[in-house]
Amino acid sequence: MKTIDDFDFKGKKALIRVDFNVPLDGEFKLTDTTRIEAAKPTIIKILEDGGSAVLMSHLGRPKGQAQEALSLKHIVSAVSEIIGVKVNFVENCVGWEAEEAVSKLKSGEILLLENLRFHAEEEKGDEDFAKQLSALGDIYVNDAFGTAHRAHASTTVVAKFFEDKKCFGYLLAREIESIDKVMKDGEKPVTAILGGAKVSSKITIIENILNKIDHLIIGGGMTYTFVKAKGGKIGDSICEDDKQELALDILKRAEEKGVKVHLPVDVIAADDFSNKANTKETAVDQIPDGWQGLDAGPKTLELFREVILQSKTILWNGPVGVFEMERFQNGTKAVGYAIEEATQKGAFSLVGGGDSVAAVKQFGFEDKVSYVSTGGGAMLESLEGKTLPGIAAILK
Ligand code: AMP
């Protein structure tokens, strides 16, 4: 796997695909700088080598039309501040304006190109457009994990014009290493904690990871499809009736493969899907009608904790309760604390894909686990075992 450490960028122009798809408020002020900070180490290494950086990204969904509100010009000063180097901006990402701006770029300087998705060709993976982009750098660096599952011009197609002059930035390299640490060479016991609302959205992940894990903890809304399929009473809890057979099949296959499945034994049930609901603890398979399980109960959390603490490799995807409501956060927090403790004892812990990342950030576990993925969809597809086109294009 080639990374920027395999190149000397002295006198070279690096064309870097970053993920600056950042949230802006009504006054076009950045409300979360995480993605820019995440790209900083790569940019700094290239500048310190004596190279220059041409940054390309998308912002929002302009669908091939230039839109003032989605111009990357709004983030120029924020990027300058975070990187600590003045950032130049050009109002197009291809064509003569871009080429002229690149030709004026000197060592140690940064140029940010306008939103790639102002051109419909970007998302279509258009080869001519990718070729035009490729004229803007000597070495292609992909550091955008968030779009690595898309075969777009700037994330995938452009790579073919760089032969051996292409590599991963630090951020993308770290994402790949972290996924490999779980999926390829995870130290045993390997535990996956899968939560979230539905079995259907996690089924491909479960199928893919059953061969790689020792323990599967199932939590959150997914629980009730399994419990009902096993003959339990789940009251009004969320359930995918048409996935009951699938749930039983997963349990059977897990057993055949020697994977221990841990389902909740008790829950916090509520008489309404609301933070103001009445609540009570019940056995997971004895939930009365009119009540629904919205969080893991204390016995469950003790059980989950024990499994997590004996694990050497941990993957967490999906909250184990409705963590958006304060009264049902306890389970998700407890899982976070257990992972933190296991990590302190030397386990490798990866949090990735969707809402568990939001939960980890909200509850301050970000620095307490080994790695928090920056890519939602890209992470899910990796866990499903798919080869991401953006990664494959560099490896080719
Ligand atoms: P996902 O995007 O599949 O990871 O699902 C995350 C969502 O699942 C979050 O919005 C949670 O509120 C929701 N969730 C977790 N547990 C439950 C539950 N017991 N009942 C309903 N929704 C749940």
Side-chain angles (χ1 to χ4, degrees):
M1 184 168 95
K2 261 195 195 168
T3 75
I4 49 174
D5 282 334
D6 295 303
F7 289 88
D8 181 1
F9 287 87
K10 191 171 192 313
K12 302 279 186 227
K13 287 173 176 149
L15 178 65
I16 316 175
R17 178 52 158 104
V18 289
D19 181 3
F20 284 177
N21 183 29
V22 290
L24 300 175
D25 67 14
E27 286 162 0
F28 303 115
K29 290 244 154 47
L30 217 66
T31 55
D32 183 352
T33 56
T34 314
R35 286 182 171 167
I36 298 172
E37 270 150 24
K40 183 173 173 175
T42 292
I43 298 169
I44 294 291
K45 135 87 185 167
I46 288 165
L47 300 186
E48 280 181 354
D49 267 7
S52 54
V54 180
L55 308 179
M56 53 179 177
S57 177
H58 75 282
L59 175 65
R61 297 186 168 171
K63 302 232 150 66
Q65 291 290 323
Q67 278 178 39
E68 165 78 15
L70 295 178
S71 170
L72 282 167
K73 72 180 178 195
H74 301 303
I75 70 164
V76 170
S77 59
V79 180
S80 303
E81 210 169 289
I82 292 164
I83 310 290
V85 177
K86 181 181 169 281
V87 172
N88 302 290
F89 178 73
V90 56
E91 286 174 356
N92 204 343
C93 61
V94 287
W96 68 268
E97 293 150 296
E99 281 168 24
E100 193 177 278
V102 167
S103 72
K104 285 185 191 153
L105 204 62
K106 297 194 199 75
S107 291
E109 291 185 343
I110 302 175
L111 174 69
L112 175 64
L113 306 176
E114 181 56 289
N115 194 340
L116 291 156
R117 292 195 189 167
F118 283 180
H119 297 261
E121 293 89 341
E122 161 65 0
E123 289 184 83
K124 286 188 190 138
D126 183 87
E127 207 161 312
D128 278 345
F129 180 72
K131 194 167 181 208
Q132 287 185 64
L133 290 173
S134 75
L136 306 176
D138 306 307
I139 300 167
Y140 170 64
V141 179
N142 192 350
D143 210 19
F145 183 63
T147 48
H149 58 316
R150 306 281 183 219
H152 294 170
S154 70
T155 62
T156 303
V157 186
V158 70
K160 73 165 73 160
F161 299 103
F162 288 89
E163 287 187 9
D164 56 347
K165 294 202 167 40
K166 56 188 175 188
C167 60
F168 298 111
Y170 290 137
L171 174 67
L172 187 39
R174 211 156 158 225
E175 293 275 358
I176 298 169
E177 278 162 18
S178 300
I179 295 165
D180 283 355
K181 260 194 193 168
V182 175
M183 308 292 275
K184 284 200 184 138
D185 27 55
E187 193 185 335
K188 286 178 163 286
V190 182
T191 297
I193 306 152
L194 294 186
K198 293 176 171 179
V199 183
S200 53
S201 63
K202 304 281 155 106
I203 181 62
T204 327
I205 297 182
I206 299 178
E207 281 171 344
N208 184 45
I209 60 175
L210 275 185
N211 286 324
K212 310 173 202 295
I213 60 176
D214 305 294
H215 295 274
L216 173 62
I217 291 178
I218 294 176
M222 269 206 301
T223 304
Y224 307 100
T225 304
F226 284 89
V227 173
K228 187 171 179 187
K230 286 172 71 180
K233 270 191 71 198
I234 60 162
D236 295 354
S237 305
I238 186 172
C239 180
E240 290 171 284
D241 281 330
D242 60 334
K243 295 290 179 291
Q244 289 187 60
E245 239 172 81
L246 184 67
L248 292 177
D249 185 50
I250 290 170
L251 296 177
K252 188 164 147 254
R253 268 191 284 163
E255 198 182 340
E256 284 164 8
K257 290 180 194 290
V259 177
K260 286 212 177 78
V261 178
H262 308 272
L263 278 160
V265 290
D266 60 350
V267 297
I268 307 297
D271 62 359
D272 190 16
F273 189 80
S274 148
N275 214 13
K276 295 199 184 103
N278 295 305
T279 60
K280 61 178 173 187
E281 282 175 33
T282 74
V284 74
D285 54 358
Q286 298 293 328
I287 304 174
D289 288 342
W291 294 74
Q292 52 187 303
L294 293 186
D295 199 4
K299 291 192 194 97
T300 301
L301 294 175
E302 193 44 47
L303 191 133
F304 285 1
R305 185 167 176 273
E306 260 172 48
V307 178
I308 291 168
L309 284 186
Q310 48 164 289
S311 307
K312 286 273 176 271
T313 305
I314 301 160
L315 165 72
W316 185 17
N317 171 278
V320 300
V322 184
F323 76 101
E324 297 91 336
M325 296 184 205
E326 210 185 327
R327 303 219 2 246
F328 309 107
Q329 289 177 346
N330 188 43
T332 302
K333 277 190 192 165
V335 166
Y337 283 124
I339 297 177
E340 173 182 349
E341 211 177 319
T343 311
Q344 278 167 355
K345 283 176 41 188
F348 177 80
S349 53
L350 168 64
V351 183
D355 275 321
S356 34
V357 173
V360 157
K361 286 187 180 170
Q362 185 177 331
F363 302 138
F365 289 116
E366 232 177 330
D367 302 324
K368 315 254 165 72
V369 298
S370 309
Y371 194 69
V372 181
S373 175
T374 57
M379 184 46 129
L380 292 178
E381 291 197 16
S382 300
L383 299 179
E384 287 171 355
K386 292 184 188 146
T387 307
L388 308 189
I391 293 174
I394 299 278
L395 297 176
K396 240 182 231 164

